[in-house]
């Protein structure tokens, strides 16, 4: 039954030491959509995303209980390797974090670390870089400077590059944690357009503090508060007629 | 409005006085170094000629050159780097990238800090006991450079750890999030960016290995040996040792000889440092964050 769900969690709890950051999260998110995760600061949105590729485990105080299934597969299963999981679950952060390498190497980094050197040719890499950068509309701008440092790019281009470098790995799920909060309005709207183009091919979850953004890009929305899911539903309905009093207050901007 | 008040004038005067004072103090710092180099050049330069650099010492070291000592020092430094750089870098990578923070790693860290403070003569005794006698290397190039390597390990480890830790954590996380293993993140992102710091450690190691006399005194350096070492189990001469010998053990040495030897020693260290600084500069200008 969870087969056609991108994300399915059951009684997911997470503790940082003795502080419980996620409480009994039960979620089902369908494939091929953009889902917005909203809620006030500190309610556990980033923590939840970081559960999905198990990057939280690098923090020694973290303890997790409950089940997470992505595309029907238990991510805590015996045969799951973190490398393969993170290949399928791409993550984009609030501050663009390109690696201190060239633009070309950034786009290829995931790919070249996952596949043995013998299994691809230089031409194949070139083709992959071109198609990935084209998908995020950076190709025309950068095609002559592929070997410049990625850290010299403007923030908007850096953020797009951070999306582009996920694509050669063909992720199924892309998680974006406030991807636009370091960008200006132009940058924001071009990232939003990009997400709308990518939807369908990928399932996307975006954390945002920008209600207008959630309405523009997402099909479904999830409202979190103090580590709990308060409400989940179609974005159009939730923003028009929120079921829960707290959701209504948050959306109207009365707290958070 | 916007004019110069007396209070402001006073402040400016004080500002000038402070910067003058600090400048003077800095000069005091540079003076001894300039003085040493000056004396070395003045007294040692007359000794420097082709024969001095390229010939063996003759007539009880009162004539001839210092060629075997130069070669001996170069061998000692290179061989000791060969031991301590790989081991030091690997240990540092393990300690700061892999090891869990528990009592064991804390004990190791404490040991490294203390090892750095051990006087070189103690390292010499350790080298004598461990390499010369226990491992039966004999007094040899091998034993001497192993002793120098042990002495320099903490320097290399500390410098490497500091430069690894200077690489922002976000880069490692970015790699992990793309599914890279710890080693891949280290290999492709962390290590390339910490090379300048590692080089700093190596510069230090070179200067110390070339300059220290005590650690090689009992373990492999000799007063006089005209032929060059044929294998790493041979003994050799060394500049620092030769300087000690010329200054204190032999009568009838021309005054310029010890100064000339010191000048060559300082020159070699200076050349290595310059090279490393140039490399660091190259890496820094090519650094990408
Ligand atoms: N490494 C950590 N150790 C301890 N507590 C943490 C850690 N990371 C987050 N927390 C706590 O967990 C709670 C949830 O944090 P999280 O970063 O997931 O919130 P968020 O919803 O993403 O907030 P924001 O909108 O500000 O990004 C917060 O109360 C935070 O203080
Ligand atoms: Mg967050």
């Amino acid at each position: 039954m969870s087969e056609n769900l991108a994300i399915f969690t059951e009684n997911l709890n997470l503790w940082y030491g003795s502080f419980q950051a996620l409480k009994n999260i039960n979620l089902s998110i369908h494939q091929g959509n953009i889902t917005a995760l909203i809620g006030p600061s500190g309610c556990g949105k980033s923590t939840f995303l970081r559960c999905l590729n198990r990057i939280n485990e690098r923090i020694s105080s973290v303890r997790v209980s409950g089940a997470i299934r992505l595309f029907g597969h238990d991510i805590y299963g015996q045969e799951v390797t973190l490398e393969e999981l993170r290949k399928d679950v791409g993550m984009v952060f609030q501050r663009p974090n390109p690696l201190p390498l060239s633009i070309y190497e950034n786009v290829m980094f995931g790919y070249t670390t996952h596949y043995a050197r013998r299994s691809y040719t230089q031409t194949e890499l070139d083709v992959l870089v071109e198609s990935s950068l084209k998908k995020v509309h950076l190709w025309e701008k950068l095609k002559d400077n592929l070997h410049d440092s990625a850290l010299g790019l403007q923030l908007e281009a850096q953020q797009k590059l951070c999306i582009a470098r996920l694509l050669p790995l063909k992720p199924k799920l892309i998680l974006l944690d406030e991807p636009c909060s370091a960008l200006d309005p132009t940058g924001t709207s071009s990232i939003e357009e990009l997400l709308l183009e990518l939807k369908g091919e990928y399932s996307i979850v975006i954390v945002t503090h920008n209600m207008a953004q959630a309405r523009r890009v997402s099909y479904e929305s999830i409202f979190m508060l103090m580590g709990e899911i308060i409400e989940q539903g179609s974005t159009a309905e939730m923003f028009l007629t929120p079921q829960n009093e707290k959701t209504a207050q948050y959306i109207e901007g009365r707290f958070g | 409005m916007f004019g110069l008040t007396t209070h402001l004038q006073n402040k400016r005067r004080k500002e000038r006085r402070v910067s003058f004072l600090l400048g003077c103090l800095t000069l005091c710092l540079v003076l001894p170094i300039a003085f040493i180099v000056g004396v070395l050049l003045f007294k040692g330069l007359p000794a420097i000629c082709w024969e001095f650099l390229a010939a063996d010492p003759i007539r009880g070291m009162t004539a001839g050159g210092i060629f075997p000592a130069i070669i001996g020092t170069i061998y000692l430094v290179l061989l000791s780097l060969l031991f301590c750089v790989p081991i030091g870098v690997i240990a540092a990578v393990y300690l700061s990238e892999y090891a869990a923070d528990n009592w064991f790693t804390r004990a190791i860290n404490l040991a490294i800090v203390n090892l750095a403070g051990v006087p070189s003569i103690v390292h010499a005794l350790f080298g004598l006991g461990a390499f010369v006698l226990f491992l039966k290397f004999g007094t040899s190039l091998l034993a001497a450079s192993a002793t120098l390597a042990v002495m320099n390990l903490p320097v290399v480890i500390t410098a490497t750890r500091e430069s690894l830790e200077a690489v922002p954590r976000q880069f490692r996380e970015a790699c992990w999030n793309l599914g890279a293993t710890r080693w891949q993140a280290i290999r492709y992102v962390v290590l390339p960016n910490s090379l300048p710091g590692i080089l700093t450690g190596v510069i230090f190691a070179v200067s110390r290995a070339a300059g220290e006399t005590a650690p090689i005194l009992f373990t492999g350096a000799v007063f006089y040996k005209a032929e060059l070492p044929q294998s790493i189990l041979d003994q050799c001469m060394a500049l620092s040792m030769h300087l000690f010998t010329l200054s204190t053990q032999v009568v009838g040495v021309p005054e310029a000889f010890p100064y000339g030897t010191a000048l060559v020693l300082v020159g070699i260290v200076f050349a290595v440092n310059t090279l490393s600084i140039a490399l660091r500069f190259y890496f820094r200008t090519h650094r990408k964050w």
Side-chain angles (χ1 to χ4, degrees), chain A residues 6-9 12 14 16 22 37 44-59 62 64 67-71 73-77 80-93 97 114 162 165-166 169 171-177 203 205, chain B residues 169-170 172-181:
Chain A
I7 304 172
F8 172 80
T9 70
L12 176 66
L14 182 141
Y16 290 110
L22 296 179
L37 194 52
K45 307 180 294 294
S46 304
T47 303
F48 176 69
L49 286 197
R50 291 164 60 91
C51 281
L52 300 179
N53 70 353
R54 292 178 59 184
I55 199 81
N56 271 334
E57 290 169 28
R58 283 278 153 88
I59 304 170
V62 165
V64 185
I68 305 176
R69 297 172 81 78
L70 300 183
F71 305 94
H73 298 283
D74 178 9
I75 66 166
Y76 288 99
V80 172
T81 63
L82 294 181
E83 289 82 15
E84 287 299 307
L85 175 64
R86 288 170 194 161
K87 171 173 157 266
D88 288 340
V89 182
M91 181 102 83
V92 176
F93 295 87
N97 61 348
H114 271 283
C162 289
R165 72 180 174 189
L166 304 176
L169 293 171
K172 298 205 179 70
L173 184 60
I174 296 183
L175 310 171
L176 303 107
D177 196 346
S203 305
V205 179
Chain B
R169 187 180 160 84
Q170 72 178 70
R172 294 176 180 80
E173 293 207 349
C175 292
W176 299 339
N177 272 303
L178 287 166
T181 58

Side-chain angles (χ1 to χ4, degrees), chain B residues 38 43 55-56 77 81 87 101 118 123 150 180 190 233 261 270:
Chain B
K43 295 202 165 182
D56 295 340
V77 168
L81 288 187
I87 297 177
D101 183 23
V118 170
H123 282 293
V150 170
V190 180
L233 291 176
T261 310
F270 186 74

